[in-house]
Amino acid sequence: MLGKLLKYEMKAGLRLFPIIYLAGVLFFLLGLLAKTLHINQILTTAVVMLAIAAAASAISVIIFTIVRFFKGMFGAEGYLTQTLPVSKGSLLASRTIAAYVWMLIGVAMALLGVVGILYLVAPEMLNREILRTLFSDANRPILFYVGAALLLQLLAVIGELYFAMTLANTRSFLRNNALFSVLFYFGLNTVVGLLEVAAVLLIPFGMRLNGHGAEIRFEPMLSGLDFSGQAQGLVDTVTFGFGVMIVDLIVGVGLLLLTRWLLERKVSIK
């Protein structure tokens, strides 16, 4: 049953996102043609529209995630959804997986849009030497860190969105559920942000880069700071704390579990 629910959720995205991605491709091709023919006005227009399409690739996924969950679980469609012979865990899992996949695709398409813009207006930034340096052995740990942090950040965002909307649809907040959804989300997001900062500084687990490569260090980032706030050895070393990833993982999984509990015991449909 989970597979059928997931297929249904993915189909919902297929009705929207390919249009945005196709628009981005068409604007890139238009810009490429204008660049070849040296028509600067059309090139500028194409670059602006490509930038809009790249931004829309990421933003539209967030909007889609919110609308699909809110309407599908608590709107008119919610009456049907909530009475299906399917566990609340399966309903939540299908929406979470679909949202996560579409978010990953949206981020990837946004990055491709940025690459397309650079190719049109500053191709020298994409030369082989720069790309070779970017993906060199020395920089791979940084790319790994950024990629892993992004993957867990997306999970935390989905958890925050789903929990905020679900909590807002419990009996105490049902009358103004849309307003409370917004308030709960921004409240959660603020708290999680503070926890991430604290975890990065205090959790003794991170990666230190120096001229010789990367090494795992089991010490908090604060241990490398003096009283003036300057990092010791900042010129020669850079430290990346894994605390933010730990927080995002706990927040994402924890909030999704709480969302499931609320769906099973506390939620009301307006």
Side-chain angles (χ1 to χ4, degrees):
M1 182 58 75
L2 176 61
K4 292 182 179 179
L5 291 171
L6 181 58
K7 182 179 179 181
Y8 178 75
E9 291 300 317
M10 294 300 294
K11 278 186 175 180
L14 284 173
R15 292 194 290 266
L16 170 65
F17 299 124
I19 298 175
I20 299 175
Y21 305 153
L22 179 60
V25 172
L26 292 177
F27 288 130
F28 173 74
L29 293 176
L30 176 62
L32 194 60
L33 178 62
K35 182 179 180 179
T36 302
L37 299 177
H38 304 288
I39 308 176
N40 292 332
Q41 186 174 3
I42 295 179
L43 175 60
T44 301
T45 301
V47 168
V48 171
M49 296 307 296
L50 179 56
I52 293 174
S57 297
I59 296 173
S60 63
V61 178
I62 301 295
I63 298 174
F64 170 82
T65 298
I66 295 171
V67 172
R68 283 296 304 167
F69 190 77
F70 198 90
K71 287 188 175 182
M73 298 298 290
F74 311 117
E77 187 181 341
Y79 287 99
L80 173 62
T81 303
Q82 300 281 15
T83 55
L84 289 174
V86 182
S87 69
K88 298 297 190 295
S90 294
L91 291 172
L92 180 61
S94 64
R95 282 162 171 75
T96 300
I97 295 171
Y100 195 85
V101 170
W102 283 120
M103 281 188 179
L104 286 177
I105 295 174
V107 170
M109 295 304 296
L111 291 176
L112 286 176
V114 172
V115 172
I117 292 171
L118 290 177
Y119 184 83
L120 292 175
V121 301
E124 65 277 4
M125 296 184 65
L126 298 175
N127 65 57
R128 291 184 179 180
E129 189 60 33
I130 292 178
L131 292 177
R132 189 179 296 112
T133 301
L134 178 63
F135 293 100
S136 65
D137 292 340
N139 289 325
R140 281 176 188 170
I142 300 177
L143 296 176
F144 167 79
Y145 178 89
V146 172
L150 174 63
L151 293 176
L152 293 173
Q153 180 71 49
L154 292 180
L155 178 64
V157 168
I158 293 173
E160 292 169 22
L161 288 171
Y162 285 0
F163 180 75
M165 287 185 281
T166 304
L167 182 59
N169 279 276
T170 56
R171 183 168 299 178
S172 301
F173 310 105
L174 189 59
R175 180 170 295 182
N176 297 296
N177 56 353
L179 174 62
F180 279 112
S181 293
V182 175
L183 294 177
F184 289 151
Y185 172 75
F186 282 108
L188 272 172
N189 192 257
T190 300
V191 172
V192 172
L194 293 174
L195 289 174
E196 288 174 342
V197 173
V200 168
L201 295 175
L202 299 176
I203 292 180
F205 184 36
M207 176 180 66
R208 177 167 293 184
L209 300 181
N210 51 45
H212 306 290
E215 58 179 340
I216 300 299
R217 300 296 293 265
F218 294 95
E219 61 182 26
M221 288 184 66
L222 284 179
S223 65
L225 296 175
D226 60 24
F227 291 106
S228 67
Q230 299 297 318
Q232 298 173 3
L234 183 60
V235 175
D236 300 318
T237 65
V238 180
T239 302
F240 296 90
F242 289 142
V244 63
M245 299 185 193
I246 297 173
V247 168
D248 285 341
L249 178 61
I250 294 174
V251 166
V253 174
L255 289 180
L256 288 173
L257 290 175
L258 286 174
T259 300
R260 177 182 176 181
W261 183 83
L262 288 175
L263 287 171
E264 293 175 340
R265 294 173 174 83
K266 301 292 183 180
V267 164
S268 301
I269 299 178
K270 194 170 182 179

